[in-house]
Amino acid sequence: MQHSEPASRLPRAGGLPLPPAIGLALGLLLAVALAALWFQDVAREAVRGRAHTHQVRLELTELRNEVLELSRAVRGYVATGREDWLEPGREAQRQAPRRLQRLRQLSERHPAQQQRLAALERHLQALIELDEAVLRAAVVQGLPAARQRIAASTGPAELAAMSGLFDALDAEELRLLGERDAAVQRNTNLTIAVTALGSLLSLALVAWAGWGQQRSLRRLGDTVRALEQAQASLSQANTRLQAQAGQTAELNEALWRSIGDGVARPSAQPSPQRLDAPERLEALRRTQLMDTPPEEDFDRFTRLAALTLQAPLCLISLVDDRRQFFKSAFGLPEALAGSRELPVQESFCQFVVTSGEALVVEDARHAPPPRYALPVPEGVVAYLGVPLATPDGHVLGSFCVVDDKPRQWTALERIAQSVLAAVAVRMQLRALEKHVAVRTAEVQLLAGALKHSLNGVSIVDRRGYITYANDAFSLQFGYERPEEVVGQPVELHCTQPGQAQRIYEELRAWGACRTELTARRRDGSPLEVLVDVYLARDEGGHEVYVGTTMDITERKRAEQALRLGEERLRLALEAARMGAYDHDPATGEVQRIGTLYVSLGLAPRGHGEEYLDRVHPEDRAMLRSRMAGVSPAQPGYTAEYRLRTAAGGWAWTADHAQASFSDAGELQRQIGINMDITARREAEAGLKAALAEKEVLLQEVHHRVKNNLQVVSSLLQLQRRQLRDPAIEAVFSETEHRVRAMALVHQRLYQQSTLSALNFADYLRTLADQLIRSFGAEGRVRPACELQPLTLPVNTAIPLGLIVTELITNALKYAYGPGSEGVLGLVLRMPEAEPAAPRSVVLEVHDSGPGLPPGFEPAGATSLGMRLVTLLSRQLDALVEIGPGPGTHWRVTVPLGAPGNAAAGSGAAPAAVAA
């Protein structure tokens, strides 16, 4: 038909190559990603297998050491007779079965390894039984017999067999490790090949799609003009349709088909439908005719029907689920002319919609429509309504005539077809107008975007002259207006001969070109630009080159400065044997710089999980905890851990990290440095071993001193028992108490873990009990101790212990003689002091005896005990006071940090409250 010819000249959207190409490219990329994920999963499984192999080998090594320790412990005991040789053996005997059980769990998928472990268990049980037999022989028959039993036993043969089994187990694990590594390498190579091939194909498809998109942009102007011509043609077609009444049915079907999907199919007959059917309401909504003003295109049909049928009222009614809207009305009463609608319950047209058929009422007063329960409206006697249905069978409303007197009706369907044709034309015109408006807006937006783009846009003809430039392009090359650069040759802005020609050749070969080059401004100054050019054709089919330029001068300078900074950082890191890294939490990628990572076998670029896999299993949880603990409040952490080197060994590494967060508290970046501290940790381990050895030696010294003082005390006791003079015997007894007091200090020191300080409260409690028992007064004298838990250095504890010994001895001798009873009080406390004031310890000894003679002065006493108290208090720079009665009350105040008590104020062994 003539009115459809302009539409046939419109370009078809399906002809653009963009959607299929992009879809295929995305499909290829998705396939590549799926393949990469599959290969990555296989590689991850191989990595877990490698970790499993390392765990099995580690357990085998520990079990081998425990077997050797078990054998070495028994032979060491038999050779030396020292039972301390047996403790490591007992521990190894307890641990070996557990470790063997763990090995069975780790190797449960390998029957051959299970058989070897079963054989290993038999040999281990035999070795344990041999060792137990040797120990029984040593207990029952003596060590020489045990040595003979060892010489005649099969222990060496058992050890040799177990060594062979250990080697076989380890070799099998190494073989499995080699197979896993080979699988990882194959999967890696295959992943690289698949990724490269898929990426190349995807890039080719995207390039072809870009070329097709550029062609569509060039044809955009043709599309707008074709749409304008189509709109004019449709207007002419509407005029012709009004005159072609004989072709209304055919025209109606064609127009409704053009509104739909364009596929010709048989028209569906109107079918019964509910008023609120969603499909019918959607078809009514798409007409966009509800609540619109009257239009002449519809009013002429109502006039035609009213004149033809000689009816006073004719309506074009559109019916939804609530009301009947009069799109056009001829002869409508004034009561309804303002609102142009009626509730659907009062309408006869509702029955036309619900039945899908014409409704004929010759006399509504005697035969109203079925199911119409309301009174018949005044003036409505005869009614004829035909459905206005779409080709899909959805009834939109009715075309009806009404008479105020009874009558018989003639056909109305021909005019109804014309009404439907008018509805279809109106819908198509509005759709085309909307489409033209959208495409025109797109063209205007595109033109505005090109004009005001921050990147330069230009078009060059096949002779090499600029035919179009936007504002950004002219400013980039030193022109004030785009008109100044139009008509200039491209070679004028090239710094190298043949530079433009090389770009043209690449465009003809590939259709697109992207490159970075140095251009020349209008004043001759250089300009670094990123150029993207593609080959296109103008309206005449001639080749043109459309390109964009981006000024990257500042970026080039920044890149050069960045390279210089990175080189300086690399030199500094190499000089310090350190490494720096930059971790992106969003992708998990890590960039590394420094020779330290080369020595550790780490690539310059990698993944965070790969690095964590190389951390020692015992340190991995600690490092994960430190990394997870970073927050805006604590953005950094420091950690020291072991890292597996390229040679398979372990290197101690210090990690100092700092993280940055967004305003919302999200982790954005984490940078840090690594330092090889293996030498320092080995030196620290050596120092700790030496310190432990010295502590053992010091404990042995205290033990020997205590033993020697115990021997001296025993000699004094033996000598005292042979004496017959009570005075001399008392002197020996007091000397014995003093020696025991000093021996008790050394005994406490070697029994505790700290050798430089003594729990003085516990020491006083034991010393008091010991002195009361030595005087035989445990039934008569009850100690009352108020001792604050304090730890004192040795050089303070020994003199103060001797002072306490003398004071308690005097109380037992003079306050509680034979037959007397009472309470012996001991108080040890550290008074509260100001933060800057020196601290002191107060010791009090009091009894309930007769007390001291009047005028007694400790400094003037001639007895050895009081002289010792005076001399020792001076050594401690202590103050000795006599308190009020009843009884004798001694108070000794020892300052901490005094000249005689230097260790108390030093950092090596400070006095501290041990509560």
Side-chain angles (χ1 to χ4, degrees), residues 161-192:
M162 293 175 72
S163 178
L165 289 172
F166 278 125
D167 294 339
L169 288 166
D170 191 63
E172 179 64 17
E173 291 299 327
L174 286 175
R175 185 186 67 79
L176 295 174
L177 180 61
E179 292 180 355
R180 295 189 184 101
D181 290 344
V184 169
Q185 186 61 39
R186 289 195 302 271
N187 292 334
T188 301
N189 296 336
L190 187 57
T191 302
I192 293 172

Side-chain angles (χ1 to χ4, degrees), residues 169-423:
L169 288 166
D170 191 63
E172 179 64 17
E173 291 299 327
L174 286 175
R175 185 186 67 79
L176 295 174
L177 180 61
E179 292 180 355
R180 295 189 184 101
D181 290 344
V184 169
Q185 186 61 39
R186 289 195 302 271
N187 292 334
T188 301
N189 296 336
L190 187 57
T191 302
I192 293 172
V194 171
T195 302
L197 180 59
S199 299
L200 289 175
L201 290 175
S202 300
L203 287 175
L205 289 171
V206 169
W208 180 63
W211 175 76
Q213 182 66 18
Q214 297 304 327
R215 290 187 60 193
S216 66
L217 290 176
R218 188 180 63 250
R219 296 166 57 188
L220 189 57
D222 295 340
T223 303
V224 173
R225 287 190 295 272
L227 289 173
E228 293 175 349
Q229 295 175 3
Q231 184 176 6
S233 299
L234 286 173
S235 299
Q236 297 174 3
N238 183 30
T239 303
R240 289 192 295 270
L241 283 173
Q242 296 174 3
Q244 296 172 354
Q247 301 176 357
T248 54
E250 180 184 356
L251 180 59
N252 184 24
E253 181 180 352
L255 287 173
W256 282 100
R257 187 169 63 246
S258 67
I259 295 173
D261 54 10
V263 178
R265 55 175 61 92
S267 299
Q269 293 296 323
S271 58
Q273 289 181 307
R274 295 182 10 247
L275 293 176
D276 58 352
E279 298 83 359
R280 191 190 74 82
L281 294 176
E282 175 61 21
L284 179 61
R285 185 194 63 80
R286 285 192 291 111
T287 63
Q288 301 182 10
L289 294 176
M290 292 290 288
D291 300 319
T292 58
E295 299 181 40
E296 176 60 25
D297 291 342
F298 294 98
D299 290 345
R300 68 183 183 83
F301 292 116
T302 55
R303 289 196 303 269
L304 176 62
L307 294 175
T308 302
L309 299 178
Q310 296 296 314
L313 178 62
C314 183
L315 302 172
I316 296 178
S317 300
L318 302 176
V319 181
D320 60 12
D321 56 341
R322 296 181 297 106
R323 60 196 173 101
Q324 172 184 354
F325 173 70
F326 305 132
K327 175 59 183 173
S328 178
F330 178 83
L332 188 66
E334 293 184 1
L336 297 175
S339 61
R340 298 173 58 211
E341 66 179 31
L342 191 69
V344 72
Q345 295 84 1
E346 302 178 11
S347 169
F348 284 7
C349 296
Q350 62 173 315
F351 302 110
V352 178
V353 174
T354 55
S355 65
E357 299 176 348
L359 175 63
V360 179
V361 178
E362 296 181 351
D363 190 348
R365 294 172 299 183
H366 299 94
R371 300 185 304 279
Y372 188 79
L374 299 177
V376 176
E378 185 179 354
V380 179
V381 177
Y383 173 89
L384 171 62
V386 294
L388 297 177
T390 67
D392 295 332
H394 300 304
V395 181
L396 307 178
S398 72
F399 181 41
C400 63
V401 289
V402 179
D403 203 339
D404 55 1
K405 55 182 177 295
R407 64 175 294 175
Q408 292 183 348
W409 298 102
T410 58
L412 191 63
E413 285 79 1
R414 175 70 61 164
I415 304 177
Q417 290 291 340
S418 299
V419 173
L420 285 175
V423 173

Side-chain angles (χ1 to χ4, degrees), residues 565-893:
E566 289 180 349
E567 181 64 19
R568 291 174 179 171
L569 176 61
R570 184 184 62 80
L571 293 176
L573 293 175
E574 289 180 358
R577 287 195 55 77
M578 298 169 63
Y581 64 88
D582 187 345
H583 177 220
D584 185 357
T587 62
E589 293 185 354
V590 180
Q591 295 184 4
R592 308 181 182 93
I593 183 174
T595 56
L596 172 64
Y597 299 117
V598 178
S599 62
L600 294 175
L602 292 170
R605 299 178 67 91
H607 199 273
E609 288 298 328
E610 298 175 358
Y611 185 85
L612 287 173
D613 290 341
R614 300 188 62 170
V615 176
H616 196 282
E618 296 178 359
D619 304 334
R620 195 173 299 153
M622 177 273 296
L623 181 57
R624 287 185 184 273
S625 176
R626 298 283 179 85
M627 295 173 65
V630 296
S631 64
Q634 187 176 359
Y637 69 85
T638 301
E640 294 183 0
Y641 47 85
R642 289 161 287 183
L643 197 66
R644 188 173 66 252
T645 64
W650 297 99
W652 278 98
T653 304
D655 189 349
H656 302 270
Q658 191 73 18
S660 62
F661 294 84
S662 64
D663 295 337
E666 296 180 354
L667 181 61
Q668 291 182 326
R669 188 181 182 189
Q670 181 174 313
I671 61 175
I673 60 171
N674 293 123
M675 182 187 305
D676 188 351
I677 58 170
T678 305
R680 193 197 80 188
R681 293 301 293 252
E682 291 177 350
E684 289 177 356
L687 290 175
K688 289 181 181 178
L691 180 60
E693 183 179 355
K694 290 181 180 179
E695 288 180 351
V696 172
L697 292 176
L698 190 56
Q699 285 181 335
E700 183 65 21
V701 168
H702 284 297
H703 182 63
R704 293 182 181 274
V705 170
K706 176 258 179 185
N707 289 342
N708 292 336
L709 291 176
Q710 191 67 37
V711 170
V712 173
S713 176
S714 300
L715 292 175
L716 290 173
Q717 185 179 9
L718 291 174
Q719 187 65 37
R720 176 173 56 81
R721 290 177 180 175
Q722 295 178 1
L723 296 174
R724 297 294 181 266
D725 188 346
I728 299 177
E729 184 178 355
V731 172
F732 270 80
S733 179
E734 292 176 359
T735 304
E736 181 182 344
H737 294 160
R738 297 183 184 110
V739 172
R740 285 183 178 177
M742 291 186 292
L744 183 59
V745 172
H746 291 282
Q747 178 181 352
R748 292 293 182 188
L749 286 174
Y750 84 78
Q751 287 178 348
Q752 65 184 17
S753 59
T754 304
L755 302 178
S756 60
L758 180 67
N759 186 342
F760 201 67
D762 184 59
Y763 168 76
L764 286 180
R765 191 176 290 106
T766 305
L767 179 62
D769 292 341
Q770 179 178 294
L771 290 173
I772 291 174
R773 286 196 304 271
S774 66
F775 277 89
E778 58 269 19
R780 298 181 292 106
V781 178
R782 181 175 59 84
C785 301
E786 297 180 11
L787 307 177
Q788 181 180 351
L790 297 177
T791 301
L792 298 181
V794 176
N795 57 356
T796 301
I798 293 177
L800 194 57
L802 290 175
I803 292 175
V804 174
T805 301
E806 296 300 329
L807 297 178
I808 294 177
T809 300
N810 286 342
L812 294 174
K813 286 173 59 177
Y814 303 113
Y816 306 110
S820 61
E821 298 180 355
V823 176
L824 177 63
L826 286 176
V827 177
L828 179 67
R829 57 189 174 85
M830 178 181 288
E832 295 292 335
E834 297 295 331
R839 302 180 69 84
S840 61
V841 175
V842 176
L843 173 67
E844 298 180 12
V845 180
H846 58 85
D847 57 52
S848 57
L852 296 171
F856 178 81
E857 289 292 338
T862 58
S863 64
L864 179 60
M866 285 294 100
R867 290 169 60 191
L868 283 175
V869 170
T870 302
L871 291 175
L872 292 172
S873 62
R874 291 176 182 173
Q875 177 182 343
L876 295 175
D877 199 15
L879 175 63
V880 180
E881 300 175 287
I882 300 175
T888 303
H889 192 152
W890 294 94
R891 181 185 296 109
V892 182
T893 304

